[in-house]
Amino acid sequence: MPATPSGPAATGPAEPRPEPPPLTRSGYRAVFSHPEFRSVFAAHLLSSLGVVVCEIALSVLVYRLTGSPLLSALTFALGLLPYVVGGTLLSAVADRYPARRVLVVCDLLCAGCAAAMLVPGTPVAVLLALRCATAAIAPVFAGTRAGTLGDVLGEGDLFVLGRSLIRIVNQGAQLAGFAAGGLLLAAVTPGAVLAVTVGTFLGSALLLRLGTRPRPARTASTGALLGASLTGTRQLLSDRRIRALLLLTWLPPAFVVVPEALLVPYADLLGAGPAAAGLLMCAMPVGAITAETLAGTFLGPRTRTRLTFPMSIVCVLPSLGFATQPSLGWAATLLVLTGTGIAYNFGVDRWFMTAVPDALLGQAMTVMQAGRMTIMGLGMAAAGLAAEYAPLRAVMPAGGVVGVVAVGLVVREVRRNAVRATREVPA
């Protein structure tokens, strides 16, 4: 088994995680050589597209029913805020029950929520509540899936590359989902688009049920779910190494979304219109997909690990360029550069997998995902609030300045808790 890369040490005793068979291929091809991962990947692709298309369709449906831009925008915000509820109060689900069962049930519950949105005459409040329910389920699903990747791919570089592919799907779903949702809404009603969403969740559940092996629960705990979730979360946050890695996962996205949240008013400031805003929104995912693909394909594990700290700073630096009020093209370039910083997750994923006890892996991944999405939502809200009282050319670079300082402090904390560096030798 490869040696642990430089970074934080493991925390507490933990049973060794399964290692995949010896590699006969390299990079992403080695990951896709595992049939179970192919099923997980395809299921995630379906469900991610379903989530994005559902957001668009529900937003349009709510606007048509109410004529309120606020309520329409709230459908997107409700896709982030309930993450903290599911990630805190339900996180123990990921380790308490068999992973395949949790994943399938989560997909079925999301399909049920989307189907309920199709009922004619459903009040807007109920539609928004159903959106909250799917958002609360999302971190449990994501954490359980991440733990499953550890079972399927082991804790080495294959796990890191598998997580990278999941992130690529997330970014690609934003591009393809918004485009597909827009085209569908131009041809059919929002209800018909929501029906497509139901189909994507059911398809994901079927793929996971038939394409993954049954595995026992990670822990045999039988106490109250809420108590176990809160206890496990406290245990994770009380460990300095794990806490520092969680912060390194959460903080860069919190500042990256500052310029992203203000792209519509920025395009209006340039006099470019909604089409330009849509172009700018595509720039960051393009940079992220490009960086993930190139790093995973052409860089070895040691090089990717060495880039962790620099890239975590790089992803918040381009925001400083908005101080000059760049033109549309330069603004898009800055956003693409911002997206490339996502490559810092390669090293963080490996360190986190090593630091977390096996019995808490699913819960740790759930807390990680919930924290990331929640803090991104708070970052967007803070950016919008600041823009109410200050010009955009001040607010957008200010996010970069604060981000560099905050991420730099977290990097120092991670370094402080790291053990003597060891170098990974790729298999």
Side-chain angles (χ1 to χ4, degrees):
M1 190 174 79
T4 303
S6 61
T11 303
E15 295 183 2
R17 299 185 179 102
E19 284 292 334
L23 296 180
T24 57
R25 302 177 184 178
S26 60
Y28 291 128
R29 290 187 303 166
V31 180
F32 278 116
S33 68
H34 293 267
E36 277 192 280
F37 178 80
R38 293 198 295 268
S39 296
V40 173
F41 179 85
H44 181 55
L45 181 61
L46 274 179
S47 60
S48 296
L49 288 173
V51 168
V52 176
V53 169
C54 178
E55 287 179 344
I56 300 171
L58 186 60
S59 178
V60 172
L61 179 61
V62 169
Y63 185 73
R64 289 182 181 179
L65 291 173
T66 64
S68 169
L70 174 61
L71 290 177
S72 178
L74 192 59
T75 61
F76 288 98
L78 291 178
L80 295 177
L81 299 180
Y83 264 75
V84 69
V85 177
T88 303
L89 305 183
L90 303 176
S91 57
V93 170
D95 295 314
R96 175 174 287 200
Y97 302 101
R100 186 174 72 174
R101 184 190 308 170
V102 173
L103 293 173
V104 171
V105 169
C106 285
D107 267 336
L108 293 178
L109 289 174
C110 289
C113 290
M117 296 175 188
L118 292 170
V119 177
T122 303
V124 171
V126 175
L127 292 174
L128 295 179
L130 291 169
R131 180 71 187 100
C132 284
T134 59
I137 294 169
V140 178
F141 182 89
T144 306
R145 182 190 58 226
T148 299
L149 290 183
D151 294 330
V152 173
L153 302 174
E155 66 174 17
D157 195 51
L158 288 186
F159 172 80
V160 175
L161 292 173
R163 289 273 291 167
S164 170
L165 286 168
I166 294 298
R167 288 193 297 270
I168 289 174
V169 169
N170 291 336
Q171 298 293 332
Q174 292 186 40
L175 299 176
F178 281 122
L183 291 174
L184 286 172
L185 287 172
V188 298
T189 64
V193 178
L194 288 173
V196 173
T197 297
V198 175
T200 62
F201 283 124
L202 292 177
S204 174
L206 185 63
L207 282 167
L208 292 169
R209 177 63 181 80
L210 300 180
T212 60
R213 293 196 297 110
R215 292 179 173 85
R218 293 179 181 275
T219 177
S221 174
T222 57
L225 176 62
L226 176 59
S229 297
L230 294 176
T231 300
T233 301
R234 283 196 299 268
Q235 183 178 343
L236 292 169
L237 295 178
S238 64
D239 186 285
R240 292 186 63 180
R241 287 164 292 196
I242 295 176
R243 185 173 64 243
L245 289 171
L246 284 172
L247 288 173
L248 188 57
T249 304
W250 294 342
L251 283 185
F255 295 101
V256 162
V257 298
V258 170
E260 188 177 28
L262 301 174
L263 290 181
V264 172
Y266 186 78
D268 184 65
L269 177 66
L270 296 180
L279 175 65
L280 292 176
M281 289 179 182
C282 292
M284 201 177 293
V286 168
I289 293 171
T290 302
E292 287 270 4
T293 304
L294 293 177
T297 303
F298 298 109
L299 300 182
R302 182 184 299 178
T303 304
R304 293 196 301 265
T305 300
R306 287 176 174 173
L307 288 175
T308 300
F309 294 142
M311 294 305 288
S312 66
I313 300 291
V314 164
C315 66
V316 295
L317 279 177
S319 299
L320 301 177
F322 283 95
T324 63
Q325 194 173 318
S327 63
L328 181 64
W330 283 111
T333 301
L334 291 174
L335 293 168
V336 169
L337 292 174
T338 300
T340 61
I342 197 174
Y344 87 94
N345 283 289
F346 281 104
V348 178
D349 280 344
R350 181 61 183 271
W351 298 339
F352 195 72
M353 182 74 168
T354 304
V356 174
D358 186 67
L360 289 176
L361 179 60
Q363 185 168 3
M365 290 296 183
T366 301
V367 171
M368 174 192 280
Q369 178 71 2
R372 178 190 291 121
M373 300 302 287
T374 301
I375 201 167
M376 285 172 65
L378 293 175
M380 289 180 176
L385 180 63
E388 289 287 328
Y389 301 99
L392 293 177
R393 63 183 302 172
V395 174
M396 297 169 86
V401 172
V402 178
V404 168
V405 174
V407 175
L409 291 174
V410 172
V411 166
R412 188 177 67 173
E413 181 68 12
V414 173
R415 285 184 180 277
R416 183 181 300 167
N417 289 287
V419 295
R420 184 175 59 85
T422 58
R423 299 302 181 188
E424 178 180 353
V425 180

